[in-house]
Amino acid sequence: LSSSFSMIEPLMNTLSSIPADAEHYTKEQFAKAYDIDPELLNRLLDDGILVPVSEDDFTEKEATIIKLVASFNTVGVDYAIIKAYVQHAKALSELECQMQAQLCGVRDDQNFSTLWKIMFETLFNAKEYLFKRYTYKVLLKSLKDEIIK
């Protein structure tokens, strides 16, 4: 699938979820614009909690994640939970890469568009469906368990 950059570019833009009109900052500009402690910024980058699309390209997306981490901290959620969440996201992306490699392994001229459909459906439909449904089921079970107590 990587053989056609013109088809990959829209996918990568969608995956980055950065609006086309987003303002971009260098790391230093970003820290100043959003009044972020440079040490905190470096820690979040080192821990993989902040993942700018490129090395020195920060947007409001990164600022929203920093605000979320601050909210977790304010209410006393253990930072290790956030780091574990990141590890699961990384593991899922590795599985998606394995899927892409297997799809490339069976590619031919007849099935190329079908393989693209499979990849898009997986990344933009099945992933959302599975995450939301399992989150629903786990939260529902948790609520039921709480009621029973």
Side-chain angles (χ1 to χ4, degrees):
L1 299 178
S2 60
S3 63
S4 177
F5 184 77
S6 65
M7 292 180 79
I8 293 264
E9 187 176 23
L11 170 64
M12 299 309 285
N13 290 338
T14 301
L15 288 173
S16 72
S17 66
I18 297 173
D21 61 348
E23 191 162 346
H24 295 260
Y25 304 90
T26 66
K27 186 177 174 183
E28 290 75 25
Q29 292 169 334
F30 177 74
K32 186 175 181 179
Y34 288 95
D35 192 29
I36 298 166
D37 176 24
E39 286 184 30
L40 172 63
L41 183 56
N42 286 330
R43 179 180 182 197
L44 296 174
L45 288 165
D46 291 344
D47 290 342
I49 294 168
L50 281 186
V51 189
V53 173
S54 61
E55 186 176 328
D56 203 27
D57 185 10
F58 294 80
T59 67
E60 186 178 349
K61 276 286 185 199
E62 283 74 31
T64 62
I65 298 301
I66 293 171
K67 288 176 189 172
L68 178 63
V69 170
S71 296
F72 276 116
N73 187 45
T74 298
V75 299
V77 173
D78 188 356
Y79 187 75
I81 291 175
I82 301 166
K83 287 178 68 174
Y85 197 79
V86 168
Q87 292 307 312
H88 287 283
K90 287 179 181 179
L92 178 61
S93 67
E94 291 295 329
L95 285 172
E96 290 169 343
C97 189
Q98 289 175 25
M99 180 189 318
Q100 185 252 350
Q102 287 189 21
L103 289 171
C104 285
V106 297
R107 176 186 169 205
D108 60 34
D109 290 341
Q110 287 75 38
N111 68 8
F112 183 73
S113 64
T114 301
L115 298 180
W116 266 107
K117 288 177 187 173
I118 291 169
M119 196 68 185
F120 272 87
E121 277 296 309
T122 302
L123 295 175
F124 302 111
N125 186 16
K127 180 170 31 177
E128 179 181 357
Y129 170 84
L130 291 168
F131 269 98
K132 287 182 177 179
R133 291 296 171 94
Y134 279 106
T135 299
Y136 171 85
K137 289 191 175 287
V138 168
L139 290 175
L140 182 61
K141 181 184 180 316
S142 176
L143 290 171
K144 286 180 180 179
D145 291 348
E146 188 174 315
I147 292 170
I148 293 173
K149 291 180 184 180

